[in-house]
Amino acid sequence: MLLLAPREAPGPCRLGVVASKRVGNAVARNRGKRRVREWFRENSRVPSATDLVVVLRVGAPALSAAQTEAELDQALGRALNGRRGTPADRGRPRDRG
């Protein structure tokens, strides 16, 4: 999940990454966070003066770097366009496991 929040104060975009213990052990959580930070460093589509929060889901660390980048690009595109996902995503229940 990716959340965007514009800020009043000017400045660079900031990133926050959330990974609960449900995502996996410490190694898996840190792998997922490293991949998100690398994507953020290479991504120039995020507007300045914006806070970006990425919430890792179960299975995210198991994705390859290319799959992670594609998922984040797609989520960022949806967030910038103001859409909440595809109709299929909206009908699917959240994982509460």
Side-chain angles (χ1 to χ4, degrees):
M1 178 189 326
L2 189 138
L3 305 167
L4 282 176
R7 288 193 326 261
E8 296 289 327
C13 181
R14 300 185 298 186
L15 172 69
V17 182
V18 179
S20 72
K21 286 187 177 183
R22 290 188 322 182
V23 172
N25 62 15
V27 173
R29 292 193 307 268
N30 289 330
R31 181 184 313 118
K33 291 189 284 187
R34 279 194 307 270
R35 287 186 177 156
V36 170
R37 286 192 298 265
E38 181 63 24
W39 168 83
F40 181 74
R41 278 192 287 272
E42 295 176 355
N43 195 345
S44 62
R45 291 183 13 187
V46 181
S48 61
T50 303
D51 290 340
L52 176 70
V53 178
V54 176
V55 180
L56 293 179
R57 297 289 187 195
V58 175
L63 297 175
S64 70
Q67 289 172 320
T68 301
E69 183 177 326
E71 290 281 333
L72 290 169
D73 284 339
Q74 184 181 25
L76 179 62
R78 285 193 310 259
L80 290 174
N81 291 331
R83 296 185 332 188
R84 292 183 41 95
T86 64
D89 291 340
R90 283 184 239 138
R92 188 175 61 205
R94 289 179 51 178
D95 179 20
R96 302 265 180 184

